[in-house]
Amino acid sequence: MNKRIALTGVSVAVGSLLLIGSAYAGLGDAPGYDAYKSAVKQTFAVQNVTKQMNVTVKDNGTKLLDVKSTVKADKAKDEMSAEINLSGGGASQGVSLYHQDGKQIVKASDNDVYNIIEGNEWKGKADEHRRQAPDGISAEVENVVDALVGNLKDYVTLSPQADGTKNISMQLSGSQIPAVANAIGSLVVKQAANAEGHHKGVQTPFGDKLQGLQDSMPKLTQDVKIDKFDLAARVNADNRIEKQQMTLTISGKDTQGVSHEVVVAADFGLSNFNGTTADHVDLNGKQVKTIDVKKHGE
């Protein structure tokens, strides 16, 4: 496997663990513990849902990246559709994604070609991931997160509302952020900066546009640390998380010694619980191209 691809994969994996830890920041014997953990479990148990996500990245106050997406996911039918719009680095790109009939289909908004992503190695790992994806949160995961969270539970605030909804929030800064989280976060940022190139098998449908987005991101390599993390979640009357906002502030220096303050803000919305149907695309009469991911990645 291409070593650059492997490195990127490690960064994504570690980053995912950080997000999971953030989602469970309420674990512990604090007022927000039971409410938030119960809502997370209830949300994970949903079979289909519509997800809206907006993400922005700013560097020293200047917006570098703006991502807006709508995802319709159906675990029961193993189907998904997504519309994603990215802008930044002097470029913009719309992307349509589909998982239907066992196929992964990708289309760029400025291209009439529908790309079917293939590759036995990639497909095997994707299928394995879907089979292993839990419908709920296991006791083992809870135990691990309990051990990692430590006293973060003390920073969670729970505010029950008269209509049966709940607001849950957490603000961490400076010494409140555990050393292990800072170390892992720094590792993720540095590895991402060192992951040269990209997966051509996935990049091909979009030409060189997305490369401009990647190149616009600051490459932090020195004195990297997490300065601040904010989380705010709204739990509906059915005990499901319907809105969650996260803001992460990271500081550091690039290879030239220039200081950066990078702020990543994510706004998630969940709706149409157990009433969502993924969109399908009819490929009959369409321009179709098959991309072998394994071929491009070797």
Side-chain angles (χ1 to χ4, degrees), residues 6 38 41 59 64 102 121 142 175 177 192 230 239 243 296:
S38 175
K41 285 184 174 182
D59 178 27
L64 300 182
E121 179 179 342
E142 290 185 38
S175 61
I177 299 173
D230 293 335
N239 200 34
K243 188 174 182 61
H296 283 284

Side-chain angles (χ1 to χ4, degrees), residues 75-89:
K75 290 191 293 185
K77 296 181 179 179
D78 192 21
E79 295 180 342
M80 181 276 294
S81 62
E83 294 295 331
I84 305 171
N85 290 287
L86 309 93
S87 61

Side-chain angles (χ1 to χ4, degrees), residues 87-110:
S87 61
S92 62
Q93 181 69 67
V95 182
S96 297
L97 305 175
Y98 304 90
H99 175 69
Q100 64 183 53
D101 303 323
K103 298 178 180 179
Q104 310 292 333
I105 304 169
V106 185
K107 179 187 177 298
S109 59
D110 57 355

Side-chain angles (χ1 to χ4, degrees), residues 176-206:
Q176 295 172 337
I177 299 173
V180 64
N182 233 320
I184 295 175
S186 299
L187 177 64
V188 171
V189 173
K190 290 178 180 179
Q191 286 190 334
N194 292 330
E196 300 176 357
H198 48 261
H199 202 307
K200 296 180 181 179
V202 176
Q203 182 75 9
T204 299
F206 317 119

Side-chain angles (χ1 to χ4, degrees), residues 207-221:
D208 295 325
K209 281 192 174 183
L210 296 188
Q211 185 64 43
L213 299 179
Q214 177 178 322
D215 292 342
S216 70
M217 296 296 104
K219 308 300 187 293
L220 306 184
T221 59

